[in-house]
Amino acid sequence: SNDISGSPLIGGEEVVFYSPPQISDVNKQLDATENAVQANALALVVAAVDADALVSQTEKAYDMGIPVITYDSMLNSKKYDFHFATNSFAVSKSLGQKFSQKYGGKGKYAVLSGSAAAAVEEERKDGFIAGLGPGWKITSGGVMYNNYDWNISLGQAQDILTANPDLKGFFTTFCIMCNHAVIAAKEQGFRPGELGIASFDMSGDAYFNIKDGWITASAVQDPYNMTQAAIKMAYFLATSTVKRNPPSSMDTNFETVTPENLMSPKIQEFLTIVKKIDKIKD
């Protein structure tokens, strides 16, 4: 957002970026969205923390003629113009299929997720489960949600492994939680690769946990280009004279990163932004 703000690509317009201090701060995202609507922003580009909470504000903007572009996480509304995201269900289904093949086609697994209100995380969870196939059984209690409290997430991973010594592995909808699964696996005496751990996205810790063989695979998106594409589309729709069309969407780039391909030139180039943000030096 900072890189494209004021650039000729968006007619020199300013991009005002806001992210809540914590991913669970739905009310602060609500306030920021309402402020943008009240200011009659040229366009709204939104990654919704909660699929329902922002709907009244974004529909208000849409009805005012303000283009509404969503990215990464959808809204439970038909009043938007364009959506940019990885096809989370399809990607997670592929992860589930590969996980099943690697770990014997049947067994017990666990799922850690941030919030059932986040549409993108539900898509990831549902896709992975669909990809596993009928030979798999989720741990007692089902999907474990933590509302982005990382102490809860770590405790859930530890408790699950303690109660289920026969566990084949974890799927986590967000990479911070996969690092918690790695911590729990190390505490229980597992060796790298013995316990399957699949996830979405990437952080510095996840990078090295993949490199060391603890994380089986992570589907890593391209948030830099996803966001810039969303902003450019927002500007185009805000300044275009074309008639408003029904909502459209576009799949964006991703790579499945594994211990086997992490150090390949292709994956290293893809992870340039992640490595820059987290100051990763191999």
Side-chain angles (χ1 to χ4, degrees):
S1 298
N2 291 339
D3 285 352
I4 201 171
S5 182
S7 78
L9 292 171
I10 56 169
E13 295 289 351
E14 179 187 8
V15 177
V16 178
F17 175 77
Y18 175 80
S19 178
Q22 301 292 330
I23 197 171
S24 57
D25 287 337
V26 178
N27 288 333
K28 291 186 178 179
Q29 190 178 40
L30 280 170
D31 291 342
T33 306
E34 180 61 27
N35 289 339
V37 176
Q38 291 295 331
N40 196 29
L42 194 63
L44 285 181
V45 181
V46 180
V49 171
D50 186 301
D52 296 306
L54 292 183
V55 167
S56 61
Q57 284 94 338
T58 56
E59 288 190 346
K60 179 181 177 181
Y62 185 92
D63 291 340
M64 289 168 59
I66 297 174
V68 176
I69 312 299
T70 59
Y71 69 102
D72 192 35
S73 190
M74 283 287 288
L75 294 161
N76 283 334
S77 171
K78 297 298 182 183
K79 289 188 174 183
Y80 69 94
D81 292 284
F82 217 95
H83 180 62
F84 290 89
T86 305
N87 187 332
S88 294
F89 183 91
V91 173
S92 285
K93 184 175 181 180
S94 175
L95 279 178
Q97 291 167 339
K98 292 174 182 176
F99 183 99
S100 182
Q101 292 168 2
K102 182 166 181 143
Y103 290 95
K106 61 181 180 180
K108 188 186 295 183
Y109 70 100
V111 176
L112 303 179
S113 185
S115 171
V120 68
E121 292 194 58
E122 288 294 278
E123 292 170 2
R124 293 172 181 179
K125 174 260 294 181
D126 291 341
F128 184 79
I129 292 172
L132 283 178
W136 292 85
K137 180 181 178 181
I138 197 166
T139 50
S140 176
V143 180
M144 304 301 290
Y145 295 100
N146 55 62
N147 197 33
Y148 310 111
D149 185 320
W150 304 135
N151 290 323
I152 291 176
S153 172
L154 176 58
Q156 288 171 337
Q158 292 167 325
D159 291 345
I160 286 169
L161 266 186
T162 299
N164 300 275
D166 58 340
L167 192 77
K168 288 288 189 75
F170 287 89
F171 174 70
T172 70
T173 59
F174 192 49
C175 62
I176 293 177
M177 291 174 272
C178 74
N179 295 323
H180 297 159
V182 170
I183 292 171
K186 290 179 178 179
E187 291 174 347
Q188 292 291 330
F190 284 90
R191 293 177 302 211
E194 283 186 323
L195 188 71
I197 300 175
S199 188
F200 244 86
D201 296 332
M202 179 69 75
S203 68
D205 288 341
Y207 181 93
F208 289 107
N209 280 329
I210 292 173
K211 186 178 181 184
D212 294 340
W214 289 100
I215 295 175
T216 310
S218 189
V220 182
Q221 302 180 92
D222 187 0
Y224 187 91
N225 288 314
M226 180 194 298
T227 309
Q228 290 219 344
I231 293 169
K232 286 188 281 188
M233 177 61 74
Y235 175 74
F236 169 77
L237 293 177
T239 57
S240 174
T241 58
V242 299
K243 183 180 178 181
R244 179 173 249 170
N245 292 311
S248 300
S249 63
M250 179 180 291
D251 287 351
T252 52
N253 294 341
F254 81 96
E255 292 286 351
T256 300
V257 181
T258 68
E260 292 75 26
N261 71 11
L262 176 65
M263 301 309 296
S264 69
K266 177 183 177 182
I267 297 299
Q268 286 292 301
E269 181 180 1
F270 185 79
L271 294 177
T272 297
I273 297 299
V274 174
K275 293 173 70 178
K276 179 180 178 181
I277 291 170
D278 280 351
K279 300 178 175 59
I280 294 172
K281 298 187 186 303
D282 293 321

